[in-house]
Amino acid sequence: TRVLLQYVFRLKPNIVKEMEALRLKTGTRHPTVGVHIRHGDLSLRFEYGEKAGTRAYQNRPFFDVATYFEHVKDAVETGKIPMPKTVYVASDSTLVKQAVEVEKLDAFWNGGYDDDAKEGDAEEDGGEESTGEDPLTNFVLLDRYRSKHGAHTSATLMALPHSVKEQLSKDSKRDRALRFRKMLQEAIEDIWMLSKCDYFFGTGSSHFTALATYLR
């Protein structure tokens, strides 16, 4: 399966150059940890009937954003992986941007001390600038098309609650086509970036995670 998918997912040389340029632009440093946070349509709930209000995909687990980062930190603390210099986050979650900003403030990623402590150390050293890399770990989260109902479902109008599908269907066919093209391009970029990470944490029930894993 891995060999077949790697063959099918071959990118044209010019696309590979664009991907390499994107990775360089993000300032990615090794070791790199990739994290795929799958939300989107996994959070969809039934609108009518006796199941109204319950999550539609009960057979597929749903984890909050913080849970993914906890697993990464646990792997570092138990010596399974080294402290990453870069954490690349790919997600369809509308909550991920705020969650990443909160995670950045965790002293764990800054060598175990917070910004106030670092400022105090600088003053004691006569205010000289540190020659080390600061912060120790940087997070990369690219600007993406995200919808609380799922990027791919919102772009294609597949498997959506009736009220949402009715609302999105009012958009012109051209707008929906452009949205789908943007979603597809961004998905390919994220899969490629995740496949190049040294370590990877994803969502086991997600085909997106599976593909990124097989391409590694």
Side-chain angles (χ1 to χ4, degrees), residues 92-111:
D92 61 353
S93 174
T94 55
L95 305 174
V96 71
K97 186 174 183 180
Q98 181 179 358
V100 167
E101 290 302 317
V102 172
E103 192 64 32
K104 288 179 180 178
L105 301 178
D106 191 324
F108 177 86
W109 306 109
N110 296 317

Side-chain angles (χ1 to χ4, degrees), residues 145 151-152 155-156 178-187:
Y145 165 66
H152 67 289
T156 60
L178 290 174
R179 188 164 57 209
F180 177 75
R181 182 174 181 177
K182 175 178 174 61
M183 179 275 298
L184 186 60
Q185 178 180 344
E186 293 173 349

Side-chain angles (χ1 to χ4, degrees), residues 112-129:
Y113 49 88
D114 56 27
D115 292 336
D116 292 336
K118 286 187 290 185
E119 291 177 2
D121 292 340
E123 292 175 358
E124 292 177 4
D125 293 335
E128 295 181 1
E129 294 185 1

